[in-house]
Amino acid sequence: MVFIWQGGPGSRPLLLSLLLLAAWEAGSGQIHYSVPEEAKHGTFVGRIAQDLGLELAELVPRRFRVASKGREDLLEVNLQNGVLFVNSRIDREELCGRSAECSIHLEVIVDRPLQVFHVEVEVKDVNDNPPVFREREQKVLISESAPLDSHFPLEGASDADMGINSLLTYVLSLNEHFVLKTITKKDKSVSPGLVLRKLLDREETSELNLLLMAIDGGKPELTGSVQIHITVLDVNDNAPEFDKPGYKVVLFENVQNDTKVIQLNASDLDEGLNREISYGIKMILPVSEKCMFCINPDTGEIRVYGKLDFEENNAYEIQVNAIDKGIPPMAGHSMVLVEVLDLNDNVPEITVTSLSHLVLEDSQVGTVIALISVSDRDSGANGQVTCSLTPHVPFKLVSTFKNYYSLVLDSALDRESTAHYQLVVTARDGGSPSLWATASVSVEVADVNDNAPAFAQPEYTVFVKENNPPGCHIFTVSARDADAQENALVSYSLVERRVGERALSSYVSVHAESGKVYALQPLDHEELELLQFQVSARDAGVPPLGSNVTLQVFVLDENDNVPALLASRAGGSGGAVSELVPRSVGAGHVVTKVRAVDADSGYNAWLSYELQPAAGGARSPFRVGLYTGEISTTRALDEADAPLQRLLVLVKDHGELALTATATVLVSLVESGQAPKSSSRASAGVAGPEATLVDVNVYLIVAICAVSSLLVLTLLLYTALRCSAPPTEVACGPGKATLVCSSAVGSWSYSQQRRQRVCSGEGPPKTDLMAFSPSLPQSREDCLNPSSEVSH
């Protein structure tokens, strides 16, 4: 605040009071300074940074800046010392016109955190305008018969300054006929006039030239002068007179052009031409070349001549002259005061200053988005403006000062729900009917990384055939991120773990951008049936967010393993099986059994046995069980049968491309008397293998019992029932080929790792037991489904 200090020690209490007043205003939210108009560039106004409680060192980092409505170059702040100074010429009359109060409103804005302060700088009037008369010369017509003390009004001067600087006093040059008389009006302005103190004599003096000087009340004083030219007229000794010395008329500012204002009437006591009157007007206030009224010279009727505007001028002072037609003519005078009433004819004006076009979606409630100021040129209730905001938006208006608002965040934002807000600020005045205006504020919500990538489901099941080519594409994972730009840029990676003794990355890989999953090497169903792992999705935000998805890769079996023959009780040269059969045996005698396993699963491990035709097309007296591998006689043997029968058994699986193995069985036909010896020799020769086979069977039975005692009991019961049934009703016999499920189980092989065999003894009928995988459903379809796994 600027003070002009003049005085001695006795004025110190006044200075202390003013300083306390300044401190109180600063604490109440507004700082008040004052500066005289026409101050030179650099004139000190106030230590604004210190008064606002800001440190000088933080002015630049916090982007200290000053904004003002209208003329922004009048005042400036030195960021080095925090001093507010005059930047350019301030003309109070140009800035505020005839307004009694004149202030410059500043908005001081600092960031980090954002603060807004209001500063009012009052512009003090200085005496820089001298009194001015509208005309260089005023002509006054005075009859020589004018009586003493006659009053002749003069047009006064006007001063553009305010207060005491505009209070005028008048001085008239010395003369013997006239003295100066002034009349003080209600607005304390002074109207000059001449008073006749000595009778005029036209024959002696026909013209007088006087000098009227106007002196204002400023320090130093300024003066203006006008020449008064007085013409003395010959006797027309009665001047027209109005019925009132002054009139007052009230009009609304929206009256139409040519509207009647008032009907004036003046009368003259003379007769003839000296009684005929002509009316004329002269605009006194405001001083303008343009007259807003006209008068009928014959009737004295005054009408509006133009458009009245309360905001331009709310009062008019008109001087009305009534001049008779005598020789010389005489004039009467009166004043008409026209007051203009305000109407609500101005729409409010809105000024929006956006502080940020982008608002982060995680911005705190209360963050200031924009500054809004409103104004209305009307007065009273017509100029009182209230602001409102578009409903149902996460923003609100907060009044910070008279006609100033802050647009602040009222609730949390979510860019994924709404990324753009088009706000409408409505300013409405208090008139009736009220007028309103709108302004749009566009707010863009900036993204932050608050959404992690999300997969459509938490787990996927993938089926891949074994023996796939290295690097083949087996699946594509895809995650969606609701954020934008780099916050939505998703990359994929494996969640590393151990698969047995090897790392997961040696089996599969995932493309970081596309999410495609590749098998890096051929997969082997017999080695790895299920590969379960996780793929991680991470966005590129800071900090990054992510989520995982589980992939269950089932390796499907292919027929890539040839049936393998198991060692028999009796061996022969070249791996052939040798058996001794008496010629006396009948049809259905079981000679031996061919045993084979397949490392594959399902249909690929389901084996069948076929006896190859003998050389030369001779019909063999032997047959092989289609699914059991048992070789038995088809009829009684006779002398015509060759003593050495070479049987070739083809073992074949049920894969789409069946794989086969061949077993050779050598059958020697002996006489009945030789059979025991041969048998005994054979028994002696194969005692070791037979014992070994028995031991293997014992281990297999123990293993089955360990897995499920209930399953073993069920299978033993089933075996007992099958063994007690007549041979003609065996399900896997030749006549029961259609019962695949009941006959096929006897030869269904399981994978090499889980294969089990149970032998029920030497004698027929021999039945193989099956152990089904407990993880698969037990139904009739399992018998035909290649994916079902059984043990033979």
Side-chain angles (χ1 to χ4, degrees):
M1 181 180 292
V2 177
F3 298 98
I4 299 176
W5 174 251
Q6 293 181 351
S11 303
R12 289 181 180 177
L14 176 60
L15 175 61
L16 180 60
S17 300
L18 293 175
L19 290 175
L20 292 175
L21 176 61
W24 179 83
E25 289 179 342
S28 64
Q30 181 185 9
I31 297 177
H32 183 88
Y33 298 111
S34 64
V35 63
E37 68 171 329
E38 304 296 338
K40 295 181 180 180
H41 173 76
T43 299
F44 174 86
V45 178
R47 299 189 181 277
I48 188 169
Q50 178 180 341
D51 295 339
L52 293 177
L54 301 176
E55 297 293 335
L56 295 180
E58 64 180 359
L59 295 184
V60 174
R62 294 188 62 185
R63 294 185 60 208
F64 181 95
R65 54 198 184 277
V66 176
S68 65
K69 184 177 179 182
R71 295 289 300 275
E72 299 182 355
D73 59 342
L74 297 179
L75 300 172
E76 189 57 66
V77 175
N78 187 331
L79 297 182
Q80 302 299 323
N81 55 21
V83 171
L84 181 67
F85 63 92
V86 176
N87 187 46
S88 61
R89 175 178 176 268
I90 302 176
D91 188 347
R92 185 187 185 281
E93 289 70 33
E94 178 183 351
L95 189 64
C96 301
R98 300 292 299 175
S99 176
E101 296 180 359
C102 185
S103 298
I104 300 174
H105 294 278
L106 303 178
E107 291 179 353
V108 178
I109 305 170
V110 292
D111 293 333
R112 304 172 187 160
L114 179 64
Q115 292 180 284
V116 180
F117 304 92
H118 295 279
V119 178
E120 182 181 16
V121 179
E122 181 183 2
V123 180
K124 296 290 187 179
D125 183 53
V126 298
N127 194 25
D128 59 340
N129 291 282
V132 176
F133 291 90
R134 185 168 61 173
E135 298 175 351
R136 290 187 175 183
E137 182 181 75
Q138 294 187 23
K139 294 181 178 181
V140 180
L141 302 178
I142 302 177
S143 174
E144 65 176 341
S145 61
L148 294 176
D149 296 328
S150 296
H151 180 262
F152 304 97
L154 299 176
E155 181 180 352
S158 61
D159 195 320
D161 294 322
M162 293 298 297
I164 192 172
N165 295 329
S166 64
L167 295 180
L168 303 181
T169 58
Y170 294 90
V171 176
L172 186 64
S173 60
L174 292 176
N175 66 93
E176 60 178 346
H177 292 282
F178 297 94
V179 295
L180 183 66
K181 181 180 181 181
T182 58
I183 299 175
T184 302
K185 303 177 184 177
K186 291 183 179 180
D187 59 354
K188 297 184 180 180
S189 63
V190 177
S191 177
L194 297 177
V195 176
L196 185 62
R197 290 305 185 190
K198 181 180 179 182
L199 294 176
L200 297 174
D201 185 359
R202 179 184 174 279
E203 287 69 22
E204 182 179 348
T205 305
S206 61
E207 292 183 351
L208 289 173
N209 287 306
L210 306 178
L211 182 65
L212 177 65
M213 179 180 295
I215 305 171
D216 63 23
K219 292 186 180 300
E221 300 174 340
L222 298 179
T223 62
S225 61
V226 63
Q227 193 75 24
I228 307 298
H229 181 77
I230 300 174
T231 300
V232 180
L233 303 178
D234 203 10
V235 177
N236 178 18
D237 51 349
N238 288 291
E241 293 183 359
F242 290 92
D243 51 2
K244 291 182 179 180
Y247 303 87
K248 182 178 179 180
V249 180
V250 178
L251 296 176
F252 284 103
E253 62 175 329
N254 65 338
V255 295
Q256 299 293 324
N257 186 28
D258 201 40
T259 298
K260 180 179 178 179
V261 178
I262 191 173
Q263 175 70 57
L264 297 179
N265 184 38
S267 61
D268 195 315
L269 298 178
D270 293 327
E271 292 185 352
L273 291 178
N274 292 334
R275 187 171 181 164
E276 295 182 10
I277 298 174
S278 177
Y279 298 92
I281 61 174
K282 180 185 294 185
M283 185 75 70
I284 304 301
L285 289 175
V287 179
S288 173
E289 297 295 331
K290 181 180 179 181
C291 185
M292 301 300 297
F293 304 92
C294 64
I295 189 170
N296 189 316
D298 297 326
T299 63
E301 183 181 74
I302 298 178
R303 291 182 174 270
V304 176
Y305 185 69
K307 179 175 176 56
L308 301 182
D309 188 352
F310 176 85
E311 287 69 41
E312 290 185 5
N313 204 352
N314 58 6
Y316 296 89
E317 188 174 347
I318 306 170
Q319 177 180 304
V320 183
N321 300 318
I323 304 173
D324 60 25
K325 296 181 180 180
I327 301 176
M330 298 189 69
H333 309 279
S334 183
M335 300 296 294
V336 177
L337 178 62
V338 179
E339 289 188 2
V340 181
L341 300 182
D342 181 48
L343 287 176
N344 194 23
D345 58 344
N346 288 282
V347 176
E349 297 179 359
I350 306 175
T351 302
V352 179
T353 304
S354 295
L355 301 181
S356 176
H357 296 287
L358 286 176
V359 181
L360 292 176
E361 60 177 322
D362 62 348
S363 296
Q364 297 295 322
V365 173
T367 300
V368 179
I369 309 301
L371 300 177
I372 300 171
S373 62
V374 294
S375 60
D376 195 311
R377 295 180 60 197
D378 294 319
S379 62
N382 297 331
Q384 295 177 359
V385 182
T386 57
C387 277
S388 61
L389 191 63
T390 309
H392 312 301
V393 293
F395 303 93
K396 67 178 180 179
L397 290 175
V398 177
S399 178
T400 59
F401 191 64
K402 180 181 179 182
N403 292 338
Y404 288 89
Y405 297 85
S406 293
L407 178 64
V408 301
L409 184 60
D410 189 40
S411 60
L413 299 175
D414 185 8
R415 189 204 66 84
E416 287 69 43
S417 299
T418 307
H420 175 79
Y421 291 93
Q422 192 68 30
L423 308 178
V424 177
V425 179
T426 302
R428 189 180 300 274
D429 61 27
S432 181
S434 63
L435 300 179
W436 53 273
T438 60
S440 295
V441 180
S442 181
V443 179
E444 293 287 343
V445 182
D447 183 54
V448 297
N449 192 26
D450 57 349
N451 289 280
F455 292 94
Q457 57 191 66
E459 184 176 277
Y460 294 93
T461 301
V462 183
F463 296 92
V464 180
K465 288 186 177 181
E466 66 173 332
N467 302 320
N468 55 281
C472 74
H473 172 224
I474 61 175
F475 193 69
T476 300
V477 294
S478 178
R480 180 183 177 276
D481 196 309
D483 293 319
Q485 297 177 354
E486 65 274 4
N487 294 331
L489 187 61
V490 180
S491 60
Y492 304 91
S493 62
L494 286 176
V495 179
E496 188 62 77
R497 71 177 185 87
R498 304 293 295 179
V499 180
E501 297 181 354
R502 299 171 59 183
L504 173 66
S505 56
S506 65
Y507 286 95
V508 292
S509 68
V510 60
H511 192 271
E513 295 180 1
S514 64
K516 290 185 177 181
V517 181
Y518 299 94
L520 299 180
Q521 62 181 15
L523 301 177
D524 188 356
H525 172 80
E526 287 72 40
E527 177 189 345
L528 185 65
E529 294 184 13
L530 172 62
L531 180 61
Q532 181 171 306
F533 59 92
Q534 287 187 324
V535 175
S536 174
R538 291 289 183 274
D539 59 31
V542 179
L545 301 178
S547 61
N548 296 343
V549 66
T550 300
L551 266 66
Q552 291 188 351
V553 179
F554 287 90
V555 182
L556 301 180
D557 182 56
E558 285 192 336
N559 194 21
D560 58 348
N561 289 282
V562 177
L565 297 171
L566 298 179
S568 180
R569 294 173 297 176
S573 60
V577 178
S578 297
E579 294 288 346
L580 297 178
V581 178
R583 287 182 180 273
S584 60
V585 298
H589 175 76
V590 176
V591 176
T592 186
K593 184 172 185 177
V594 178
R595 294 175 173 83
V597 295
D598 196 312
D600 294 320
S601 300
Y603 272 88
N604 297 329
W606 183 16
L607 303 181
S608 62
Y609 304 85
E610 297 179 7
L611 190 60
Q612 297 294 93
R619 185 173 181 182
S620 174
F622 299 96
R623 69 176 180 183
V624 64
L626 179 60
Y627 298 112
T628 63
E630 291 181 343
I631 299 176
S632 61
T633 58
T634 59
R635 57 179 173 79
L637 302 177
D638 54 28
E639 295 297 332
D641 295 321
L644 180 61
Q645 298 283 336
R646 186 182 182 86
L647 303 179
L648 197 61
V649 180
L650 181 66
V651 183
K652 182 172 62 175
D653 59 28
H654 283 70
E656 290 187 6
L657 295 177
L659 302 178
T660 62
T662 303
T664 302
V665 180
L666 298 176
V667 180
S668 299
L669 302 182
V670 298
E671 297 300 331
S672 300
Q674 299 174 348
K677 297 178 182 179
S678 302
S679 299
S680 62
R681 289 194 300 268
S683 300
V686 300
E690 184 69 25
T692 302
L693 181 60
V694 171
D695 291 340
V696 172
N697 290 339
V698 171
Y699 292 145
L700 293 176
I701 292 174
V702 172
I704 293 175
C705 292
V707 173
S708 176
S709 60
L710 179 60
L711 178 61
V712 172
L713 292 175
T714 303
L715 292 176
L716 290 176
L717 179 60
Y718 176 71
T719 304
L721 293 175
R722 288 292 302 274
C723 291
S724 63
T728 56
E729 295 186 6
V730 176
C732 52
K736 302 295 183 178
T738 56
L739 300 176
V740 178
C741 286
S742 60
S743 61
V745 293
S747 62
W748 198 302
S749 297
Y750 199 41
S751 63
Q752 187 68 36
Q753 294 86 347
R754 307 174 193 175
R755 187 173 294 109
Q756 300 173 357
R757 179 188 293 273
V758 177
C759 294
S760 59
E762 290 290 331
K766 296 181 175 63
T767 305
D768 292 338
L769 302 182
M770 301 203 33
F772 291 88
S773 173
S775 64
L776 298 174
Q778 298 297 323
S779 65
R780 184 175 179 82
E781 295 181 358
D782 293 341
C783 300
L784 302 178
N785 189 346
S787 63
S788 302
E789 297 180 349
V790 297
S791 293
H792 179 65

